[in-house]
C-alpha cells in the first residue's frame, strides 16, 4: 500500500480553525478573565502635555466606596524600574528615564499620575475623580524643527537636548557628485502624519499572584508574550522564571501590542503589593493617549536623474517624532525604513540621515509596516514627481530604473540582497487587470472637457523587508535581541499532533497555516493538528509576532521540526519493516517498502510504537518529537504593483476610489484565502492614512482627535472593493519559499492613493496634497493652485 | 439599585443593578456573557452590538435598566446545539473575520439588516454596517459573507427560520 492520494494542504484556501470560537463568542479576550478577589485598576492621567507634578493626594480616593487601594507615582516608584528601549540605534543615543508612572513630571497628555484599585470598574473610575493633583505647567514641545532649536524648551531637562539621536548612512558615490552631473534634481518634503493604530480590542492586562510560590501569571492583550516576560522581569525585579505570560485571544495589534507598557508593569507591581489579582482594561479614548502612535515624520527627499529618467541618486533627511519617551523599539523604526528608500531601483548614490526628536506627545513606535510604509511613500511619491517633471509615464519611469528579473539576487545600494522577484511580471499583470490604457484615455478626455470631477491614476511599485530575522544583522543595527524563531512538534500516542510555536498570533490565522504546513509534511489530517501558542509556559521559546516575520521564520521552524519528526519516524519504520531507510517511501503519512507496498506502517502507528518503546531500534529514545530554532540568513522581500484610480471632485474636494488593483508577490502561498484577507486589511489601513486618519494635537499639546468619534477609522461605506491577484517567485531564504504579507497592502497603498489624487489635480497646477487628503485639504490645494 | 427582569439568549434573569450600569457591562460582568466585546467608549465601533427586542443596538449605548422586561440576543445565543446560523457559516467560509473582535457585532448588525432587507446589494450592506468598525478585513470579505448568507437564506428560509428548525429538533 502506498499512501492515499491527498490534496496538499499548503496552497489550499482553507477556512480557519480559529473562527469556530470567534464567530460564536466563545473567546478568551483578556478583559473576559474573572476570578475571585479580582480588583479593577483605573489610571489617572495627566490632562496636560507637560507639567511638573507638585502634589498628588490619593487619600480622598481611599474613602470612595469599593476602593481597596490607591497609589501615586511616588508610592509605586520603589521596585519599579524604567520601561525598556531595546533598540539604542547609536552609541550616543539619549536614553531618558521612562517610569511606568510619572513621579515629578508629566511629559504628554495621558501620562499616568495615580492608580486606583477597586472592587469593580465603575468604582475605580469614580474614585479617580477624588484624587487631587497639582500641576505646575511647563511649555509643550510639539514641532519637530522648533524642538531642535538651541533655546527650545526641553522634554527631558536633564538630557540638555531634544535630539535623541542622529543616524546616517551613505553608500555609493557622494550625492553631491551625482547632483553635479544630473539633468534634473527635485526636492520634496513629505509629512507622515501621526496615526493611531486602533486594534479593535483595547489593551488589557490581568495579573494573578500565587502567594505560595511567589509566581505571577500575566494575561495580556499583547503580540509579544515572550519578550514581555523578559522585560517585565527586568522592570519589576521579579525573577523571569516566576513569571508566566499568556496572550489569550488577542484582538488585533498592528504593532501597537508589540510593546512593554507601563500599565502591564503597574498591574504586576500592584498585584505584588496587594497579593490580589488585578485587571486593567483601557477605554478607547484612554488608549488614544496611552497606546503608542505610529508614523510621525518629516521627510526631505532629494532625487537626481538624467533627462532620460535614469536615477542617479537619492538623498533623504528625516525628522522622526519619538514622542515623550522611547518605548521598546521607537528609535529603530526609521532605521528599518532607511534601507527601503531605494526600493526596487538602481542608482549610484544614496545618502540618508535621520534625527530622532523628543516631543511632549504620546510615544511613537511600530505601526503596520514600521518604517517601510514611510520609506515607500517618499520614494514612490517622488518617482511620480520625477515622471511629471520629465514628461514620462510614471510606470515607464519605474521600468527604466527597476532591478530586472534576470538580475536577482541583487544587492541594493542600501546593502540589502533581494533574493528573488519579478517586477515586470507583477506590473504587467496589474496594468492589464486595471485597464490602464482605457483609464488614461478617460482621464485625458475628462481633462480636455474640463470636468469638475477629475480622474487620477496612481501607481506604486513597492518592495518591503519581511521575515525579520537574521540575528547578526539585528546585532549590527544595535537591536538588543535575536531574530530567531522556535517550534516543536510532538506526535502523541494516539497519532495526533501538537505543534508548539513561538509566534503569537492576533488575527493572522497561524493555527490554520501552521496546521497546514505540519499536516503536509507529516501526512496527517489537518484536523489532527493542534497549535499551541501565546503562553510562555506551554510555548516557552519564541520571539513573537510582528514585522511579517511569523510565516517566514516561525512557519519555517514548524516546517523544519516536522521534517525532523518524519526523519525520526523513518528510522523507526525501517526497523519495524526490517528495511533500510533508503528503501522506504513516505507518502500520505505512510512508510512503505519500495517494490513491496504491502509492507507499510503509518506514521500514527509509529507514534504509538515510539510511545510504548516496545520495539524501537537501539539508540532511539521513546517518543517522536523535534524542536527547531530557525535563524534565516536573509530577510524576505515581497513586492508588487498597486494601481489606484480616484475621482476627485474639484468643487467639494471629495475623493472617491474608483478602482483599486494590486498584484502582490509574497512568494509561495500557504493559504490563498488568508493571504487575500491580509492584503484587504492592509489596503484599508494604507488607504486610511492616505485619505482619512490623523492624530491631531492642538497648540497646548492636547490630543484633539482623542476619541474614536473624532478620529476617522474608515467603515465599510468608506472603502471600495479591491481587485487582488498574485505572481509567485519563491523566497530563497527559507525552505517554504514564503515571504510575508501582513504589511504589504499598507505599504503599497498609501502612495498609490496619494499619487492618484495628485495625478487628478496636476493639470490644475497641484503638485502635492498633504496626508490625509481630506476634502478640505484637496479643496484648498485646488484653490491655491488656481489662486 | 433598580430591579430588572430581562431574558438573554433564552434565559430569564432578575437582577438588582445600578441605574447607570451599561447593558454591555451587565452582559459581560454580571451575566458572564463575554461573547459581546467592547471596543470603544463612544458607541462608534459597534463591537458590542446585540439584539434588543428585535432591534440591533449598541449595548454600550443602552443602560441595563432600559432592557428591563425585554429580550436580548447576543452572538452566544445564535448557534443552537452547535449548528451555526447562515451568517456565522458565511463569515467562516468567506474569511469575514481575522482577529474576530468586531465579529459578534458585525454578525448581529448583519442579522438585523437581513431581517429588514433580505436581498441587499453590496452597497446596502456597506451602508448598513457603517456603524461597525473592523480593522483587519478591509470589509470586503464581510460584505461577501453577508451577501452569501442572504443568498443561502433565500434558498432555505428567512433569517429567523433556523431557530425554529433548531428548536424543533432540540
Amino acid at each position: 500500500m502506498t499512501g492515499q492520494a491527498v490534496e496538499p494542504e499548503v496552497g489550499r484556501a482553507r477556512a480557519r480553525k480559529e473562527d469556530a470560537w470567534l464567530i460564536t463568542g466563545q473567546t478568551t479576550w483578556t478583559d473576559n478573565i474573572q476570578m475571585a478577589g479580582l480588583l479593577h485598576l483605573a489610571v489617572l492621567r495627566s490632562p496636560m502635555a507637560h507639567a511638573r507634578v507638585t502634589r498628588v493626594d490619593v487619600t480622598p480616593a481611599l474613602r470612595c466606596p469599593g476602593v481597596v487601594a490607591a497609589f501615586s507615582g511616588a508610592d509605586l516608584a520603589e521596585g519599579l524600574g524604567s520601561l525598556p528601549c531595546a533598540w539604542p540605534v547609536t552609541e550616543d543615543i539619549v536614553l531618558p528615564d521612562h517610569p511606568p508612572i510619572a513621579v515629578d513630571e508629566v511629559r504628554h497628555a495621558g501620562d499616568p499620575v495615580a492608580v486606583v484599585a477597586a472592587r469593580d470598574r465603575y468604582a475605580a473610575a469614580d474614585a479617580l475623580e477624588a484624587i487631587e493633583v497639582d500641576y505646575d505647567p511647563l511649555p509643550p514641545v510639539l514641532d519637530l524643527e522648533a524642538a531642535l532649536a538651541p533655546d527650545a524648551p526641553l522634554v527631558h531637562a536633564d538630557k540638555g537636548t531634544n535630539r535623541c539621536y542622529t543616524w546616517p548612512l551613505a553608500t555609493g558615490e557622494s550625492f553631491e557628485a551625482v547632483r553635479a552631473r544630473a539633468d534634473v534634481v527635485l526636492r520634496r518634503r513629505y509629512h507622515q502624519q501621526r496615526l493611531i493604530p486602533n486594534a479593535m480590542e483595547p489593551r488589557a492586562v490581568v495579573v494573578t499572584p500565587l502567594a505560595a510560590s511567589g509566581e505571577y501569571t500575566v494575561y495580556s492583550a499583547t503580540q509579544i508574550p515572550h519578550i514581555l516576560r523578559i522585560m517585565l522581569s527586568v522592570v519589576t525585579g521579579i525573577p523571569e522564571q516566576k513569571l508566566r505570560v499568556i496572550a489569550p485571544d488577542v484582538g488585533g495589534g498592528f504593532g501597537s501590542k508589540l510593546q512593554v507598557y507601563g500599565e502591564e508593569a503597574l498591574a504586576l507591581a500592584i498585584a505584588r503589593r496587594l497579593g490580589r489579582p488585578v485587571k486593567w482594561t483601557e477605554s478607547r479614548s484612554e488608549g488614544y493617549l496611552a497606546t503608542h502612535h505610529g508614523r510621525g515624520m518629516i521627510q526631505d527627499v532629494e532625487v537626481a536623474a538624467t533627462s532620460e529618467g535614469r536615477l542617479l541618486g537619492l538623498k533623504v533627511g528625516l525628522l522622526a517624532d519619538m514622542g515623550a519617551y522611547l518605548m521598546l523599539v521607537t528609535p529603530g523604526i526609521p532605521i528599518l525604513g532607511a534601507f527601503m528608500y531605494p526600493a526596487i531601483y538602481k542608482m549610484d548614490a544614496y545618502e540618508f540621515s535621520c534625527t530622532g526628536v523628543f516631543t511632549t506627545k504620546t510615544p511613537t513606535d511600530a505601526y503596520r509596516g514600521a518604517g517601510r510604509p514611510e520609506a515607500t511613500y517618499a520614494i514612490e511619491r517622488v518617482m511620480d514627481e520625477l515622471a511629471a517633471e520629465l514628461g514620462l509615464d510614471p510606470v515607464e519611469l519605474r521600468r527604466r530604473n527597476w532591478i530586472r528579473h534576470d538580475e536577482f539576487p541583487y544587492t541594493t545600494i542600501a546593502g540589502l540582497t533581494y533574493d528573488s522577484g519579478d517586477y515586470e511580471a507583477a506590473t504587467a499583470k496589474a496594468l492589464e487587470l486595471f485597464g490602464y490604457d482605457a483609464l488614461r484615455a478617460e482621464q485625458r478626455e475628462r481633462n480636455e472637457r474640463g470636468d469638475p470631477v477629475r480622474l487620477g491614476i496612481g501607481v506604486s511599485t513597492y518592495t518591503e523587508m519581511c521575515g525579520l530575522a537574521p540575528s547578526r544583522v539585528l546585532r549590527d543595527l544595535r537591536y538588543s535581541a535575536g531574530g530567531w524563531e522556535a517550534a516543536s512538534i510532538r506526535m502523541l500516542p494516539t497519532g495526533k499532533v501538537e505543534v508548539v510555536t513561538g509566534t503569537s498570533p492576533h488575527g493572522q490565522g497561524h493555527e490554520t497555516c501552521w496546521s497546514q504546513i505540519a499536516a503536509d509534511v507529516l501526512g496527517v489530517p489537518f484536523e489532527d493538528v493542534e497549535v499551541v501558542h501565546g503562553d510562555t509556559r506551554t510555548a516557552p521559546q519564541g520571539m513573537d509576532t510582528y514585522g511579517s516575520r511569523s510565516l517566514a521564520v516561525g512557519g519555517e521552524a514548524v516546517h523544519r521540526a516536522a521534517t525532523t519528526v518524519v526523519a525520526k519516524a523513518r528510522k523507526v519504520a525501517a526497523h519495524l519493516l526490517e528495511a533500510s531507510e533508503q528503501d522506504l517511501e513516505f507518502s500520505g503519512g505512510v512508510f512503505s517498502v519500495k517494490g513491496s507496498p504491502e509492507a507499510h506502517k503509518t506514521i500514527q502507528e509509529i507514534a504509538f510504537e515510539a510511545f510504548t518503546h516496545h520495539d524501537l531500534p537501539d539508540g532511539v529514545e521513546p517518543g517522536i518529537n523535534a524542536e527547531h530554532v530557525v535563524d534565516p540568513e536573509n530577510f524576505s522581500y515581497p513586492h508588487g504593483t498597486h494601481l489606484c484610480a480616484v475621482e476627485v471632485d474639484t468643487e467639494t474636494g471629495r475623493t472617491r476610489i474608483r478602482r483599486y488593483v494590486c498584484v502582490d508577490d509574497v512568494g509561495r502561498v500557504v493559504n490563498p484565502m488568508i493571504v487575500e484577507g491580509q492584503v484587504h486589511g492592509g489596503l484599508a489601513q494604507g488607504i486610511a492614512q492616505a485619505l482619512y486618519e490623523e492624530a491631531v494635537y492642538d497648540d497646548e499639546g492636547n490630543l484633539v482627535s482623542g476619541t474614536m468619534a473624532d478620529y476617522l477609522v474608515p467603515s465599510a461605506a468608506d472603502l471600495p472593493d479591491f481587485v487582488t491577484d498574485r505572481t509567485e517567485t519563491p523566497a530563497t531564504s527559507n525552505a517554504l519559499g514564503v515571504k510575508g504579507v501582513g504589511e504589504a497592502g499598507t505599504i503599497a497603498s498609501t502612495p498609490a492613493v496619494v499619487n492618484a489624487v495628485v495625478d487628478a489635480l496636476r493639470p490644475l497646477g497641484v503638485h502635492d496634497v498633504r496626508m490625509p487628503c481630506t476634502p478640505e485639504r484637496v479643496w484648498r490645494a485646488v484653490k491655491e493652485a488656481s489662486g | 439599585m433598580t430591579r430588572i427582569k430581562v431574558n438573554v439568549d433564552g434565559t430569564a434573569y432578575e437582577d438588582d443593578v445600578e441605574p447607570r450600569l451599561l447593558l454591555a457591562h451587565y452582559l459581560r460582568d454580571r451575566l458572564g456573557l463575554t461573547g459581546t466585546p467592547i471596543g470603544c467608549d463612544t458607541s462608534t465601533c459597534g463591537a458590542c452590538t446585540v439584539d434588543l427586542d428585535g432591534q440591533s443596538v449598541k449595548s454600550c449605548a443602552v443602560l441595563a435598566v432600559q432592557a428591563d422586561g425585554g429580550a436580548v440576543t447576543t452572538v452566544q445565543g445564535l448557534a443552537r446545539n452547535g449548528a451555526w446560523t447562515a451568517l456565522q457559516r458565511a463569515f467562516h467560509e468567506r474569511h469575514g473575520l481575522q482577529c474576530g473582535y468586531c465579529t459578534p457585532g458585525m454578525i448581529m448588525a448583519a442579522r438585523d439588516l437581513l431581517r429588514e432587507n433580505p436581498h441587499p446589494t453590496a452597497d446596502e450592506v456597506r451602508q448598513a454596517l457603517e456603524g461597525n468598525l473592523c480593522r483587519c478585513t478591509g470589509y470586503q470579505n464581510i460584505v461577501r459573507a453577508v451577501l452569501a448568507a442572504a443568498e443561502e437564506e433565500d434558498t432555505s428560509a428567512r433569517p429567523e427560520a433556523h431557530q425554529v428548525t433548531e428548536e424543533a429538533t432540540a
Side-chain angles (χ1 to χ4, degrees), chain A residues 320-583:
Chain A
D321 188 350
M322 304 284 101
Y325 304 102
L326 300 181
M327 306 225 22
L328 193 62
V329 295
T330 304
I333 302 306
I335 308 309
L336 278 179
F339 295 95
M340 298 314 297
Y341 282 87
I344 62 171
Y345 307 118
K346 295 183 275 191
M347 59 190 76
D348 303 331
Y350 175 47
E351 286 183 18
F352 172 91
S353 177
C354 171
T355 299
V357 184
F358 290 111
T359 58
T360 53
K361 292 183 248 179
T362 299
T364 59
D365 204 304
Y367 173 58
R368 204 166 188 167
R372 291 154 291 174
E374 298 92 317
T376 305
Y377 181 80
I379 185 69
E380 290 301 289
R381 278 288 298 117
V382 88
M383 285 298 277
D384 261 34
E385 295 306 300
L386 188 59
E389 182 76 17
L390 295 169
L392 282 172
D393 181 279
V395 178
E396 177 55 27
L397 177 68
R398 286 164 172 83
R399 197 174 271 134
R400 288 182 188 184
N401 286 287
W402 68 37
I403 302 155
R404 290 193 321 271
H405 182 46
D406 57 10
E407 292 176 301
F408 290 97
Y410 184 91
T411 300
T412 72
I413 194 156
L416 300 173
T417 300
Y418 295 174
D419 58 336
S420 70
D422 190 342
Y423 309 140
E424 293 92 340
T427 305
K429 198 169 192 178
L431 289 171
E432 194 189 331
L433 283 170
F434 189 65
Y436 188 74
D437 296 338
L439 282 162
R440 281 283 182 217
E442 181 187 333
Q443 178 184 39
R444 277 192 299 275
E445 186 273 321
R446 282 202 198 204
N447 288 347
E448 282 159 17
R449 186 155 44 91
D451 192 331
V453 179
R454 296 295 173 123
L455 188 69
I457 295 168
V459 59
S460 153
T461 50
Y462 76 101
T463 188
E464 59 162 326
M465 179 169 61
C466 287
L468 289 185
S471 295
R472 61 185 171 79
V473 176
L474 297 177
R475 174 203 63 200
D476 293 347
L477 294 174
R478 298 178 55 86
Y479 180 58
S480 318
W484 48 267
E485 194 48 79
S488 65
I489 293 189
R490 192 155 64 104
M491 294 254 347
L492 305 174
T494 52
K496 309 294 184 195
V497 178
E498 220 167 55
V499 172
V500 179
T501 174
T503 68
S504 192
H506 33 284
Q508 297 91 340
H510 292 184
E511 295 185 34
T512 301
C513 294
W514 284 206
S515 296
Q516 289 179 278
I517 292 167
D520 263 6
V521 178
L522 300 172
V524 301
F526 169 82
E527 294 77 12
D528 284 358
V529 184
E530 203 63 41
V531 178
V532 177
H533 61 77
D535 178 340
T536 60
R537 182 155 292 168
T538 56
Q541 277 211 100
M543 294 303 290
D544 309 315
T545 289
Y546 43 88
S548 289
R549 70 188 301 276
S550 292
L551 184 58
V553 195
E556 173 71 1
V558 170
H559 183 256
R560 286 204 204 174
T563 305
T564 305
V565 163
V566 172
K568 287 185 181 174
R570 179 184 290 270
K571 230 182 255 303
V572 178
H575 173 76
L576 294 173
L577 294 167
E578 298 179 341
S580 75
E581 285 184 50
Q582 298 90 305
D583 288 341

Side-chain angles (χ1 to χ4, degrees), chain A residues 650-651 764 766 776-787:
Chain A
T650 55
E651 288 171 356
L764 304 172
V766 174
E776 186 192 341
R777 285 220 175 105
V778 168
W779 183 83
R780 282 186 192 282
V782 171
K783 285 284 157 207
E784 279 161 25
S786 62

Side-chain angles (χ1 to χ4, degrees), chain A residues 263-293:
Chain A
E263 294 86 0
E264 291 166 319
L266 290 173
L268 185 51
I270 291 169
R272 171 171 62 183
R273 189 77 66 91
L274 301 178
R276 286 178 69 165
V278 301
K279 179 198 283 189
W280 173 80
T281 303
E282 72 179 5
S283 68
R284 179 65 57 177
S285 34
E286 186 182 20
Y288 273 24
L289 297 169
T291 297
H292 77 235
H293 293 177

